[in-house]
Amino acid sequence: MSLARTRPRFLRFSTVSKLAPQAREYAAPGQGAIPPSKKRYIPTSGTYPLGFSAASAHVGVKPSNTRFDDVALIASEVPCSAAAVFTTNKFQAAPVTVSRNMLNRRRGEGIRAVVVNSGCANAVTGRGGIEDAISMGHETDQCFVNDSNGKDDGQGSRSIVMSTGVIGQRLPIKKITSKLGTVYGNLGETHHHWLSAARAICTTDTFPKLISRTFTLPGSQEEYRIAGMTKGAGMIHPNMATLLGILCTDAPVGAAPLQQSLTDAITKSFNSISIDGDTSTNDTVVILANGAAGGKPITSTSSDEFRAFQETLTAFAIDLAKLVVRDGEGATKFVTIKVTNAKTYEDAKRVANSIARSPLVKTALYGKDANWGRILCATGYAEGVESVVPEETSVSFVPADGSEELKLLVRGEPEQVDESRAAEILAEEDLEIVVRLSEKFDEEAVVWTCDFSHEYVTINGDYRT
Protein backbone atom coordinates (compact mmCIF):
# COMPACT_ATOMS: atom_id res chain seq x y z
CA MET A 1 0.00 0.00 0.00
CA SER A 2 1.30 3.43 -0.85
CA LEU A 3 1.66 5.69 2.14
CA ALA A 4 1.80 8.87 0.06
CA ARG A 5 0.04 11.71 1.80
CA THR A 6 -2.35 14.30 0.48
CA ARG A 7 -1.97 17.91 1.53
CA PRO A 8 -3.26 18.13 5.12
CA ARG A 9 -6.42 19.98 5.94
CA PHE A 10 -5.83 21.92 9.15
CA LEU A 11 -8.42 23.08 11.62
CA ARG A 12 -7.18 26.16 13.45
CA PHE A 13 -8.37 27.52 16.73
CA SER A 14 -6.98 30.26 18.90
CA THR A 15 -7.54 30.64 22.60
CA VAL A 16 -6.54 33.44 24.91
CA SER A 17 -5.31 32.94 28.46
CA LYS A 18 -3.88 35.28 31.03
CA LEU A 19 -0.45 33.82 30.29
CA ALA A 20 -0.10 33.86 26.51
CA PRO A 21 -2.14 33.31 23.35
CA GLN A 22 -2.18 29.76 22.00
CA ALA A 23 -2.69 28.31 18.56
CA ARG A 24 -3.46 24.64 17.96
CA GLU A 25 -3.23 22.73 14.73
CA TYR A 26 -4.67 19.35 14.00
CA ALA A 27 -4.45 17.38 10.77
CA ALA A 28 -7.95 16.06 10.13
CA PRO A 29 -8.12 12.24 10.13
CA GLY A 30 -9.13 10.50 6.96
CA GLN A 31 -7.13 12.88 4.79
CA GLY A 32 -4.00 10.74 4.93
CA ALA A 33 -1.78 13.51 6.26
CA ILE A 34 0.30 12.72 9.33
CA PRO A 35 0.89 15.77 11.56
CA PRO A 36 4.60 16.64 11.60
CA SER A 37 4.76 16.25 15.38
CA LYS A 38 3.56 12.64 15.11
CA LYS A 39 5.96 11.40 12.47
CA ARG A 40 8.66 10.60 15.00
CA TYR A 41 6.46 7.84 16.45
CA ILE A 42 6.31 5.91 13.17
CA PRO A 43 9.10 3.32 12.86
CA THR A 44 11.15 3.27 9.67
CA SER A 45 12.19 -0.36 10.17
CA GLY A 46 11.38 -3.31 12.39
CA THR A 47 12.31 -6.82 13.50
CA TYR A 48 9.28 -9.02 13.08
CA PRO A 49 8.48 -12.48 14.49
CA LEU A 50 9.35 -15.50 12.38
CA GLY A 51 6.51 -17.23 10.59
CA PHE A 52 4.14 -14.23 10.61
CA SER A 53 3.13 -12.03 7.70
CA ALA A 54 0.91 -8.99 7.26
CA ALA A 55 -1.15 -7.39 4.50
CA SER A 56 -3.81 -4.82 3.72
CA ALA A 57 -6.12 -3.79 0.89
CA HIS A 58 -8.66 -1.12 0.01
CA VAL A 59 -12.29 -2.22 0.17
CA GLY A 60 -14.20 1.00 0.78
CA VAL A 61 -16.04 -0.19 3.88
CA LYS A 62 -16.96 3.41 4.63
CA PRO A 63 -18.35 4.97 1.42
CA SER A 64 -16.37 8.17 1.94
CA ASN A 65 -13.10 6.20 1.88
CA THR A 66 -12.17 6.01 -1.77
CA ARG A 67 -8.45 5.34 -1.58
CA PHE A 68 -7.05 4.17 1.78
CA ASP A 69 -6.65 0.52 2.73
CA ASP A 70 -9.26 -0.51 5.30
CA VAL A 71 -8.91 -4.29 5.65
CA ALA A 72 -5.87 -5.89 7.27
CA LEU A 73 -4.74 -9.47 7.73
CA ILE A 74 -2.10 -10.87 10.09
CA ALA A 75 -1.35 -14.54 9.49
CA SER A 76 0.93 -17.28 10.76
CA GLU A 77 2.48 -20.04 8.67
CA VAL A 78 1.59 -22.53 11.40
CA PRO A 79 -1.26 -22.77 13.92
CA CYS A 80 -0.77 -20.55 16.98
CA SER A 81 -1.64 -20.32 20.61
CA ALA A 82 -3.83 -17.28 21.12
CA ALA A 83 -5.21 -15.18 23.96
CA ALA A 84 -7.45 -12.13 24.04
CA VAL A 85 -8.97 -9.53 26.32
CA PHE A 86 -12.29 -7.99 25.30
CA THR A 87 -14.43 -4.98 26.16
CA THR A 88 -16.62 -5.12 29.26
CA ASN A 89 -19.31 -2.97 27.61
CA LYS A 90 -22.67 -4.77 27.78
CA PHE A 91 -23.34 -3.88 24.12
CA GLN A 92 -20.61 -6.06 22.71
CA ALA A 93 -20.07 -5.98 18.98
CA ALA A 94 -20.61 -9.03 16.80
CA PRO A 95 -16.88 -9.65 16.16
CA VAL A 96 -16.25 -9.62 19.92
CA THR A 97 -18.92 -12.26 20.50
CA VAL A 98 -17.83 -14.41 17.56
CA SER A 99 -14.10 -14.23 18.34
CA ARG A 100 -14.58 -14.93 22.05
CA ASN A 101 -16.74 -17.95 21.30
CA MET A 102 -14.21 -19.25 18.79
CA LEU A 103 -11.29 -18.90 21.20
CA ASN A 104 -13.26 -20.58 23.99
CA ARG A 105 -14.25 -23.44 21.71
CA ARG A 106 -10.65 -23.96 20.63
CA ARG A 107 -9.22 -23.32 24.10
CA GLY A 108 -6.86 -20.83 22.51
CA GLU A 109 -5.16 -23.30 20.19
CA GLY A 110 -4.91 -23.75 16.42
CA ILE A 111 -5.39 -20.09 15.40
CA ARG A 112 -4.07 -19.01 12.00
CA ALA A 113 -5.05 -15.39 11.44
CA VAL A 114 -6.54 -12.09 12.57
CA VAL A 115 -8.68 -10.20 10.04
CA VAL A 116 -9.69 -6.59 10.68
CA ASN A 117 -11.83 -4.01 8.94
CA SER A 118 -12.02 -0.32 9.74
CA GLY A 119 -14.85 2.06 8.87
CA CYS A 120 -17.69 0.03 10.39
CA ALA A 121 -17.82 -1.46 13.89
CA ASN A 122 -20.45 -4.13 13.15
CA ALA A 123 -21.82 -3.30 16.61
CA VAL A 124 -25.48 -3.33 17.68
CA THR A 125 -26.34 -4.97 14.36
CA GLY A 126 -28.41 -7.91 15.64
CA ARG A 127 -28.36 -11.43 14.28
CA GLY A 128 -27.27 -10.19 10.87
CA GLY A 129 -24.14 -8.68 12.37
CA ILE A 130 -23.25 -12.02 13.98
CA GLU A 131 -23.69 -13.74 10.64
CA ASP A 132 -21.45 -11.14 8.97
CA ALA A 133 -18.69 -11.65 11.54
CA ILE A 134 -18.91 -15.43 11.14
CA SER A 135 -18.77 -15.04 7.37
CA MET A 136 -15.73 -12.78 7.62
CA GLY A 137 -13.89 -15.41 9.68
CA HIS A 138 -15.01 -18.32 7.49
CA GLU A 139 -13.94 -16.64 4.26
CA THR A 140 -10.56 -15.84 5.80
CA ASP A 141 -10.18 -19.52 6.72
CA GLN A 142 -10.79 -20.45 3.10
CA CYS A 143 -7.68 -18.53 2.08
CA PHE A 144 -5.56 -21.11 3.91
CA VAL A 145 -7.20 -24.36 2.74
CA ASN A 146 -4.55 -25.09 0.13
CA ASP A 147 -1.55 -24.93 2.44
CA SER A 148 -0.38 -27.86 4.55
CA ASN A 149 -1.55 -26.27 7.81
CA GLY A 150 -4.88 -25.03 6.51
CA LYS A 151 -6.94 -28.20 6.60
CA ASP A 152 -10.13 -28.29 8.66
CA ASP A 153 -9.48 -29.88 12.05
CA GLY A 154 -13.18 -30.17 12.90
CA GLN A 155 -13.18 -27.34 15.45
CA GLY A 156 -14.47 -24.59 13.20
CA SER A 157 -12.93 -21.25 12.29
CA ARG A 158 -9.27 -20.48 12.94
CA SER A 159 -9.56 -16.71 12.37
CA ILE A 160 -10.08 -13.94 14.91
CA VAL A 161 -12.33 -11.19 13.57
CA MET A 162 -12.14 -7.51 14.50
CA SER A 163 -14.07 -4.47 13.31
CA THR A 164 -13.82 -0.79 14.18
CA GLY A 165 -15.68 2.31 13.12
CA VAL A 166 -19.25 3.56 13.24
CA ILE A 167 -21.71 1.75 15.55
CA GLY A 168 -25.15 0.61 14.39
CA GLN A 169 -24.42 0.01 10.71
CA ARG A 170 -24.16 -3.32 8.91
CA LEU A 171 -20.93 -4.31 7.25
CA PRO A 172 -20.82 -4.33 3.44
CA ILE A 173 -19.90 -7.96 3.93
CA LYS A 174 -19.88 -8.99 0.28
CA LYS A 175 -17.45 -6.19 -0.55
CA ILE A 176 -15.18 -7.37 2.26
CA THR A 177 -15.29 -11.10 1.55
CA SER A 178 -14.75 -10.52 -2.17
CA LYS A 179 -11.45 -8.81 -1.37
CA LEU A 180 -10.10 -11.26 1.21
CA GLY A 181 -8.33 -13.24 -1.50
CA THR A 182 -6.60 -10.03 -2.57
CA VAL A 183 -5.53 -9.29 1.00
CA TYR A 184 -4.22 -12.84 1.37
CA GLY A 185 -2.26 -12.44 -1.86
CA ASN A 186 -0.67 -9.27 -0.49
CA LEU A 187 0.81 -11.01 2.57
CA GLY A 188 4.46 -10.31 3.20
CA GLU A 189 7.05 -10.18 5.97
CA THR A 190 8.64 -6.79 5.37
CA HIS A 191 8.34 -3.65 7.45
CA HIS A 192 6.24 -2.14 4.66
CA HIS A 193 3.68 -4.95 4.95
CA TRP A 194 3.40 -4.56 8.71
CA LEU A 195 3.15 -0.78 8.56
CA SER A 196 0.50 -0.94 5.84
CA ALA A 197 -1.59 -3.29 7.98
CA ALA A 198 -1.21 -0.97 10.97
CA ARG A 199 -2.40 1.96 8.85
CA ALA A 200 -5.38 0.02 7.50
CA ILE A 201 -6.93 -0.52 10.95
CA CYS A 202 -6.95 3.21 11.78
CA THR A 203 -10.11 5.31 12.09
CA THR A 204 -9.62 8.77 13.62
CA ASP A 205 -5.98 7.92 14.32
CA THR A 206 -3.55 10.35 12.73
CA PHE A 207 -0.67 7.86 12.52
CA PRO A 208 -0.21 4.07 12.44
CA LYS A 209 0.95 2.58 15.73
CA LEU A 210 3.49 -0.21 15.33
CA ILE A 211 6.32 -1.50 17.55
CA SER A 212 8.67 -4.48 17.28
CA ARG A 213 11.62 -5.69 19.35
CA THR A 214 13.67 -8.73 20.31
CA PHE A 215 14.02 -10.45 23.68
CA THR A 216 15.50 -13.53 25.33
CA LEU A 217 14.27 -15.92 27.99
CA PRO A 218 16.20 -17.55 30.85
CA GLY A 219 17.75 -20.88 30.02
CA SER A 220 17.26 -20.43 26.28
CA GLN A 221 19.79 -19.71 23.55
CA GLU A 222 17.17 -18.48 21.10
CA GLU A 223 16.43 -14.86 20.31
CA TYR A 224 12.72 -14.14 20.14
CA ARG A 225 10.77 -11.35 18.47
CA ILE A 226 7.53 -9.60 19.31
CA ALA A 227 5.58 -7.14 17.20
CA GLY A 228 2.35 -5.28 17.82
CA MET A 229 0.01 -2.79 16.26
CA THR A 230 -2.87 -0.91 17.80
CA LYS A 231 -5.46 1.66 16.86
CA GLY A 232 -7.41 4.09 18.99
CA ALA A 233 -7.67 7.82 19.48
CA GLY A 234 -11.05 8.43 21.12
CA MET A 235 -13.54 6.60 23.37
CA ILE A 236 -10.53 5.48 25.40
CA HIS A 237 -10.81 4.51 29.07
CA PRO A 238 -10.10 1.31 31.04
CA ASN A 239 -12.22 -1.85 30.79
CA MET A 240 -11.38 -1.51 27.86
CA ALA A 241 -11.12 1.39 25.47
CA THR A 242 -12.24 1.75 21.86
CA LEU A 243 -9.08 0.21 20.62
CA LEU A 244 -7.84 -2.82 18.79
CA GLY A 245 -4.48 -4.41 19.45
CA ILE A 246 -2.75 -7.27 17.66
CA LEU A 247 0.46 -8.69 19.11
CA CYS A 248 2.51 -11.54 17.65
CA THR A 249 5.53 -13.43 18.95
CA ASP A 250 7.58 -16.37 17.72
CA ALA A 251 8.20 -17.54 21.31
CA PRO A 252 6.74 -20.97 22.23
CA VAL A 253 4.04 -20.03 24.75
CA GLY A 254 1.04 -22.25 25.46
CA ALA A 255 -2.52 -20.90 25.45
CA ALA A 256 -3.05 -20.88 29.24
CA PRO A 257 0.16 -19.02 30.20
CA LEU A 258 -0.34 -16.73 27.19
CA GLN A 259 -3.78 -15.73 28.48
CA GLN A 260 -2.44 -15.12 31.98
CA SER A 261 0.42 -13.01 30.62
CA LEU A 262 -1.89 -10.91 28.46
CA THR A 263 -4.46 -10.36 31.21
CA ASP A 264 -1.76 -9.15 33.60
CA ALA A 265 -0.11 -6.99 30.93
CA ILE A 266 -3.41 -5.31 30.01
CA THR A 267 -3.92 -4.16 33.62
CA LYS A 268 -0.82 -1.97 33.52
CA SER A 269 -1.02 -0.95 29.87
CA PHE A 270 -4.24 -0.73 27.86
CA ASN A 271 -6.32 -0.58 31.04
CA SER A 272 -4.13 2.24 32.36
CA ILE A 273 -4.83 4.81 29.64
CA SER A 274 -7.65 7.30 29.27
CA ILE A 275 -8.46 9.81 26.54
CA ASP A 276 -12.01 10.89 27.28
CA GLY A 277 -13.55 8.53 29.84
CA ASP A 278 -15.61 6.59 27.30
CA THR A 279 -15.39 2.89 26.52
CA SER A 280 -16.72 1.21 23.43
CA THR A 281 -18.32 -1.94 22.08
CA ASN A 282 -15.51 -3.49 20.03
CA ASP A 283 -12.38 -3.31 22.16
CA THR A 284 -10.10 -6.29 21.66
CA VAL A 285 -6.44 -6.97 22.28
CA VAL A 286 -5.16 -10.33 21.05
CA ILE A 287 -1.77 -12.02 21.09
CA LEU A 288 -0.65 -14.91 18.89
CA ALA A 289 2.36 -17.13 19.67
CA ASN A 290 3.53 -19.58 17.00
CA GLY A 291 6.78 -20.89 18.52
CA ALA A 292 8.56 -20.53 15.17
CA ALA A 293 11.83 -19.46 16.83
CA GLY A 294 12.07 -22.76 18.71
CA GLY A 295 13.09 -23.38 22.29
CA LYS A 296 11.42 -25.01 25.26
CA PRO A 297 7.65 -24.40 25.31
CA ILE A 298 6.27 -22.32 28.18
CA THR A 299 3.40 -24.37 29.56
CA SER A 300 3.40 -23.34 33.23
CA THR A 301 2.74 -20.04 34.97
CA SER A 302 5.23 -20.85 37.73
CA SER A 303 8.44 -21.05 35.67
CA ASP A 304 11.19 -18.45 35.37
CA GLU A 305 10.61 -18.42 31.62
CA PHE A 306 6.97 -17.49 32.12
CA ARG A 307 7.80 -14.66 34.53
CA ALA A 308 10.40 -13.27 32.12
CA PHE A 309 7.96 -13.45 29.22
CA GLN A 310 5.28 -11.76 31.31
CA GLU A 311 7.64 -8.87 32.15
CA THR A 312 8.60 -8.51 28.49
CA LEU A 313 4.98 -8.52 27.35
CA THR A 314 3.91 -5.99 29.99
CA ALA A 315 6.68 -3.53 29.08
CA PHE A 316 5.90 -3.97 25.39
CA ALA A 317 2.16 -3.46 25.91
CA ILE A 318 2.80 -0.30 27.96
CA ASP A 319 4.85 1.21 25.13
CA LEU A 320 2.16 0.31 22.60
CA ALA A 321 -0.63 1.71 24.79
CA LYS A 322 1.24 4.99 25.23
CA LEU A 323 1.06 5.54 21.48
CA VAL A 324 -2.74 5.55 21.76
CA VAL A 325 -2.54 8.43 24.24
CA ARG A 326 0.00 10.20 22.03
CA ASP A 327 -2.65 10.19 19.32
CA GLY A 328 -5.61 11.17 21.50
CA GLU A 329 -8.24 12.98 19.46
CA GLY A 330 -7.23 16.63 19.35
CA ALA A 331 -4.69 16.10 22.15
CA THR A 332 -1.78 18.48 22.62
CA LYS A 333 -0.28 16.91 25.76
CA PHE A 334 0.85 13.49 26.96
CA VAL A 335 0.25 13.34 30.71
CA THR A 336 1.56 10.74 33.14
CA ILE A 337 -0.45 10.60 36.37
CA LYS A 338 1.39 8.85 39.18
CA VAL A 339 -0.47 8.26 42.44
CA THR A 340 1.76 7.08 45.28
CA ASN A 341 1.53 6.28 48.99
CA ALA A 342 -1.78 4.46 48.66
CA LYS A 343 -3.00 1.59 50.82
CA THR A 344 -3.55 -0.65 47.78
CA TYR A 345 -2.75 -0.63 44.07
CA GLU A 346 -6.50 -0.51 43.43
CA ASP A 347 -6.86 2.68 45.48
CA ALA A 348 -4.01 4.34 43.63
CA LYS A 349 -5.45 3.27 40.27
CA ARG A 350 -8.92 4.61 41.12
CA VAL A 351 -7.52 8.00 42.07
CA ALA A 352 -5.34 8.17 38.96
CA ASN A 353 -8.31 7.28 36.76
CA SER A 354 -10.47 9.88 38.50
CA ILE A 355 -7.92 12.59 37.70
CA ALA A 356 -7.43 11.35 34.15
CA ARG A 357 -11.18 11.36 33.53
CA SER A 358 -11.86 14.86 34.85
CA PRO A 359 -12.83 17.28 32.03
CA LEU A 360 -11.85 20.19 34.28
CA VAL A 361 -8.35 18.82 34.83
CA LYS A 362 -7.96 18.08 31.13
CA THR A 363 -9.15 21.51 29.97
CA ALA A 364 -6.88 23.23 32.52
CA LEU A 365 -3.93 21.31 31.10
CA TYR A 366 -4.90 22.40 27.59
CA GLY A 367 -5.09 26.01 28.79
CA LYS A 368 -1.69 25.74 30.54
CA ASP A 369 -3.37 26.60 33.81
CA ALA A 370 -1.77 25.18 36.99
CA ASN A 371 -5.18 24.70 38.57
CA TRP A 372 -4.19 22.08 41.12
CA GLY A 373 -7.54 22.47 42.90
CA ARG A 374 -9.15 20.48 40.10
CA ILE A 375 -6.61 17.69 40.60
CA LEU A 376 -7.32 17.69 44.32
CA CYS A 377 -11.09 17.60 43.77
CA ALA A 378 -10.79 14.62 41.42
CA THR A 379 -8.65 12.90 44.05
CA GLY A 380 -11.25 13.53 46.73
CA TYR A 381 -14.26 12.21 44.82
CA ALA A 382 -12.60 9.01 43.56
CA GLU A 383 -15.05 6.25 44.47
CA GLY A 384 -14.22 3.36 46.78
CA VAL A 385 -10.89 4.80 47.95
CA GLU A 386 -9.78 4.52 51.58
CA SER A 387 -6.24 5.84 51.18
CA VAL A 388 -6.83 9.58 50.89
CA VAL A 389 -5.67 11.50 53.96
CA PRO A 390 -6.36 15.21 53.22
CA GLU A 391 -3.82 16.61 55.67
CA GLU A 392 -1.12 14.34 54.23
CA THR A 393 -1.90 14.72 50.52
CA SER A 394 0.63 16.40 48.22
CA VAL A 395 0.40 17.39 44.54
CA SER A 396 3.29 18.25 42.21
CA PHE A 397 4.10 18.81 38.55
CA VAL A 398 7.23 16.97 37.40
CA PRO A 399 8.88 18.42 34.27
CA ALA A 400 9.80 16.06 31.44
CA ASP A 401 13.33 17.46 31.26
CA GLY A 402 14.25 16.03 34.66
CA SER A 403 14.45 19.37 36.43
CA GLU A 404 13.08 19.93 39.92
CA GLU A 405 9.40 19.21 40.52
CA LEU A 406 7.02 22.09 41.08
CA LYS A 407 5.23 21.56 44.39
CA LEU A 408 1.62 22.75 44.39
CA LEU A 409 0.29 21.23 47.60
CA VAL A 410 2.40 19.78 50.43
CA ARG A 411 0.79 17.72 53.21
CA GLY A 412 -2.52 19.47 52.70
CA GLU A 413 -1.03 22.97 52.69
CA PRO A 414 -1.01 25.07 49.48
CA GLU A 415 2.32 26.31 48.17
CA GLN A 416 3.01 29.73 46.75
CA VAL A 417 3.04 28.65 43.10
CA ASP A 418 5.50 30.24 40.70
CA GLU A 419 3.06 30.83 37.82
CA SER A 420 5.79 31.52 35.28
CA ARG A 421 7.52 28.25 36.16
CA ALA A 422 4.18 26.44 35.97
CA ALA A 423 3.57 27.96 32.53
CA GLU A 424 6.96 26.72 31.34
CA ILE A 425 6.22 23.18 32.49
CA LEU A 426 2.72 23.17 31.01
CA ALA A 427 3.99 24.51 27.69
CA GLU A 428 5.79 21.21 27.08
CA GLU A 429 4.13 18.28 25.33
CA ASP A 430 5.00 15.83 28.13
CA LEU A 431 4.06 16.36 31.76
CA GLU A 432 3.88 14.23 34.91
CA ILE A 433 1.43 14.85 37.76
CA VAL A 434 2.35 13.21 41.07
CA VAL A 435 -0.19 12.83 43.88
CA ARG A 436 0.98 11.47 47.24
CA LEU A 437 -2.00 10.31 49.31
CA SER A 438 -0.56 9.66 52.76
CA GLU A 439 2.55 8.99 54.78
CA LYS A 440 1.48 5.53 55.96
CA PHE A 441 1.30 3.49 52.76
CA ASP A 442 3.54 2.67 49.80
CA GLU A 443 1.45 1.30 46.90
CA GLU A 444 1.34 3.24 43.64
CA ALA A 445 -0.22 3.21 40.17
CA VAL A 446 0.37 5.03 36.89
CA VAL A 447 -2.20 6.11 34.31
CA TRP A 448 -1.47 7.92 31.04
CA THR A 449 -3.87 10.50 29.63
CA CYS A 450 -4.03 13.68 27.55
CA ASP A 451 -5.74 17.06 27.55
CA PHE A 452 -9.10 18.17 26.06
CA SER A 453 -8.98 20.67 23.21
CA HIS A 454 -11.38 22.36 20.80
CA GLU A 455 -10.41 19.78 18.20
CA TYR A 456 -11.82 16.91 20.28
CA VAL A 457 -15.29 18.45 19.98
CA THR A 458 -14.81 19.12 16.26
CA ILE A 459 -13.72 15.55 15.53
CA ASN A 460 -16.53 13.92 17.47
CA GLY A 461 -19.18 16.40 16.37
CA ASP A 462 -19.07 15.13 12.80
CA TYR A 463 -17.51 11.67 13.17
CA ARG A 464 -20.50 9.67 11.90
CA THR A 465 -20.90 11.77 8.78
Side-chain angles (χ1 to χ4, degrees), residues 214-218 220-224 308-309 312:
T214 60
F215 65 97
T216 57
L217 294 174
S220 175
Q221 300 299 314
E222 286 78 10
E223 180 180 66
Y224 298 109
F309 176 76
T312 296

Side-chain angles (χ1 to χ4, degrees), residues 337-343 348 351-352 355 375-376 379 385 387-399 404-413 415 432-445:
I337 300 175
K338 180 184 288 186
V339 177
T340 68
N341 299 95
K343 184 176 182 180
V351 171
I355 297 167
I375 299 170
L376 200 65
T379 299
V385 175
S387 303
V388 178
V389 182
E391 60 271 19
E392 297 177 6
T393 300
S394 299
V395 179
S396 296
F397 287 158
V398 179
E404 186 178 357
E405 69 179 286
L406 178 65
K407 297 178 180 180
L408 308 170
L409 182 78
V410 177
R411 297 185 186 89
E413 295 290 335
E415 294 288 288
E432 182 175 333
I433 298 172
V434 176
V435 178
R436 299 172 177 88
L437 297 182
S438 75
E439 298 175 353
K440 305 179 183 69
F441 313 119
D442 56 9
E443 291 292 327
E444 67 177 51

Side-chain angles (χ1 to χ4, degrees), residues 90-132:
K90 290 182 173 61
F91 291 96
Q92 298 190 349
V96 170
T97 300
V98 169
S99 294
R100 177 190 286 114
N101 290 344
M102 184 271 286
L103 287 171
N104 287 341
R105 182 176 65 251
R106 285 188 160 276
R107 299 178 185 235
E109 299 288 0
I111 308 305
R112 287 298 304 277
V114 180
V115 61
V116 191
N117 77 269
S118 62
C120 178
N122 191 14
V124 197
T125 46
R127 187 181 300 275
I130 295 290
E131 292 172 353
D132 290 344

Side-chain angles (χ1 to χ4, degrees), residues 228-309:
M229 63 183 70
T230 187
K231 63 79 51 184
M235 292 185 78
I236 303 291
H237 197 64
N239 297 322
M240 283 171 47
T242 181
L243 61 85
L244 301 181
I246 306 162
L247 289 71
C248 302
T249 181
D250 52 20
V253 188
L258 194 64
Q259 183 65 63
Q260 183 64 57
S261 295
L262 181 64
T263 301
D264 291 346
I266 290 294
T267 298
K268 293 188 176 181
S269 58
F270 289 102
N271 273 349
S272 291
I273 60 175
S274 181
I275 301 296
D276 49 18
D278 265 307
T279 60
S280 188
T281 54
N282 291 58
D283 320 322
T284 304
V285 175
V286 63
I287 182 169
L288 306 180
N290 65 6
K296 179 182 176 182
I298 298 175
T299 58
S300 168
T301 58
S302 61
S303 66
D304 290 341
E305 292 83 359
F306 168 77
R307 284 186 285 272
F309 176 76

Side-chain angles (χ1 to χ4, degrees), residues 363-391:
T363 51
L365 293 172
Y366 173 68
K368 302 179 184 179
D369 182 6
N371 194 339
W372 57 265
R374 295 180 177 182
I375 299 170
L376 200 65
C377 284
T379 299
Y381 63 60
E383 295 183 359
V385 175
E386 300 179 357
S387 303
V388 178
V389 182
E391 60 271 19

Side-chain angles (χ1 to χ4, degrees), residues 204 233-235 276 329-330 455-464:
T204 60
M235 292 185 78
D276 49 18
E329 289 175 340
E455 288 89 339
Y456 178 84
V457 177
T458 300
I459 293 164
N460 284 284
D462 62 5
Y463 172 68
R464 192 171 68 90

